Amino acid sequence: MASTETTAKDAAQDLAGLEAGLDALDAVRVSRTPVRQVLVRKVLPPVVAVALVLVVWQILIWAKVTDDYKLPSPSQVWDEVANAWMQGTLLDYIWTSVSRGLFGFLLALAIGTPLGLLVARVKVVRAAIGPVLSGLQSLPSVAWVPPAVIWLGLKPSMMYAVILLGAVPSIANGLVAGVDQIQPLHLRAGKTLGATGLRGTWHIVLPASLPGYLAGLKQGWAFSWRSLMAAEIIASSPDLGVGLGQLLEQGRETSSMSMVFLAILLILTVGIAIDLLIFSPLERWVLRSRGLLVKN
């Protein structure tokens, strides 16, 4: 009898140990990353890359590979930045373009999302509109600037129209691709649980299609930003203000390469900042919610 009780007790202990081991495997260790490690892994590499670019740039200036008016030195571009800052126009250039780009992107998001759902879920609509969206996505956004100017004039609405025509197809196609990648089992399970219609779209379709949808959003923002720059370069008017595209065009008209380089660097900086502040955190959240990225 005692032997039986001992065996049962040992078995219970072994089972408890096994459960504890499985729990330990499933547990996600969350710890605070040391500041030094963050600096070495995330801050130092881009800083070193920028420093290398500046060094190579300065070496090209010293080597006189081309005329000074064709390739300004880093110090000349920095003087251009300082002058714009002292005049109080630097932030105005940035805000004029960023505000237009973000507002146009939000409009494209509001239009492209329901359009993408409609194309993805209704076969007749997909057959009719799907090829058109793919064709519009491959069309250079700069092609829409001349007709937009003729239709709407030199007004902010013209720029928003160009942004919409460039970004909406990308957002819609991204959502269609995300919906197509949903496993049919998930959709059937949602219907079994009563998630149909708008409820099924909100609780099943959209969450399951997030990876493809997010890729479409990133591409949509890229198209929005490039479309806006094209519109600002081609169409200029005092009523439109001076954005980064107009600044680039002013540099070309006055043959000021330092101004041209300033505009290019600001356009690049805004694009990188939007990706780091908005889309990279969204990507990490989506990956982490699916167990594909462990938070250390």
Side-chain angles (χ1 to χ4, degrees):
M1 184 69 176
S3 177
T4 303
E5 293 178 354
T6 302
T7 302
K9 186 176 181 180
D10 293 340
Q13 291 177 350
D14 293 340
L15 181 60
L18 178 61
E19 291 177 351
L22 293 175
D23 292 340
L25 288 175
D26 293 335
V28 177
R29 296 181 180 179
V30 179
S31 59
R32 186 180 182 87
T33 305
V35 177
R36 181 178 179 182
Q37 186 176 352
V38 173
L39 292 176
V40 171
R41 291 185 177 181
K42 297 184 178 181
V43 178
L44 187 59
V47 170
V48 172
V50 172
L52 288 176
V53 170
L54 292 176
V55 169
V56 173
W57 186 356
Q58 188 61 51
I59 290 174
L60 293 177
I61 297 297
W62 288 335
K64 296 185 181 298
V65 295
T66 186
D67 298 328
D68 294 340
Y69 71 91
K70 293 182 180 180
L71 181 64
S73 65
S75 60
Q76 289 177 314
V77 178
W78 177 253
D79 290 340
E80 197 74 38
V81 175
N83 290 335
W85 177 263
M86 294 298 295
Q87 295 173 4
T89 57
L90 182 62
L91 295 181
D92 290 339
Y93 296 149
I94 298 174
W95 174 245
T96 298
S97 294
V98 170
S99 60
R100 287 174 181 166
L102 291 177
F103 183 69
F105 176 72
L106 291 177
L107 289 177
L109 180 64
I111 297 173
T113 300
L115 179 61
L117 287 173
L118 189 64
V119 172
R121 303 294 289 170
V122 182
K123 293 183 179 179
V124 176
V125 176
R126 170 175 289 201
I129 301 179
V132 177
L133 288 177
S134 299
L136 290 175
Q137 188 174 357
S138 62
L139 182 68
S141 55
V142 68
W144 290 112
V145 178
V149 172
I150 295 174
W151 293 336
L152 302 173
L154 294 176
K155 299 178 181 178
S157 57
M158 176 273 299
M159 294 192 176
Y160 294 133
V162 174
I163 292 174
L164 291 177
L165 290 169
V168 168
S170 297
I171 295 174
N173 284 330
L175 183 53
V176 171
V179 173
D180 289 343
Q181 295 172 7
I182 301 175
Q183 295 184 7
L185 180 61
H186 291 170
L187 299 177
R188 291 197 296 268
K191 290 181 180 180
T192 302
L193 296 174
T196 58
L198 293 178
R199 182 179 299 177
T201 300
W202 180 256
H203 293 286
I204 304 296
V205 176
L206 283 178
S209 63
L210 269 180
Y213 184 37
L214 183 57
L217 292 182
K218 288 188 66 175
Q219 193 174 32
W221 163 252
F223 273 88
S224 296
W225 190 236
R226 284 183 289 181
S227 302
L228 176 62
M229 292 301 102
E232 288 185 349
I233 290 172
I234 296 176
S236 60
S237 170
D239 297 334
L240 297 175
V242 180
L244 298 179
Q246 283 98 343
L247 180 65
L248 184 63
E249 180 62 13
Q250 287 181 8
R252 185 196 66 82
E253 291 177 350
T254 59
S255 299
S256 174
M257 286 303 296
S258 58
M259 184 180 294
V260 169
F261 270 67
L262 170 62
I264 292 174
L265 291 175
L266 290 177
I267 293 170
L268 182 62
T269 300
V270 170
I272 294 174
I274 294 296
D275 181 74
L276 292 177
L277 296 176
I278 298 178
F279 292 108
S280 291
L282 283 176
E283 282 184 332
R284 290 195 296 270
W285 174 75
V286 171
L287 292 174
R288 191 176 296 119
S289 65
R290 282 159 171 74
L292 300 176
L293 182 65
V294 178
K295 185 179 179 180
N296 294 322

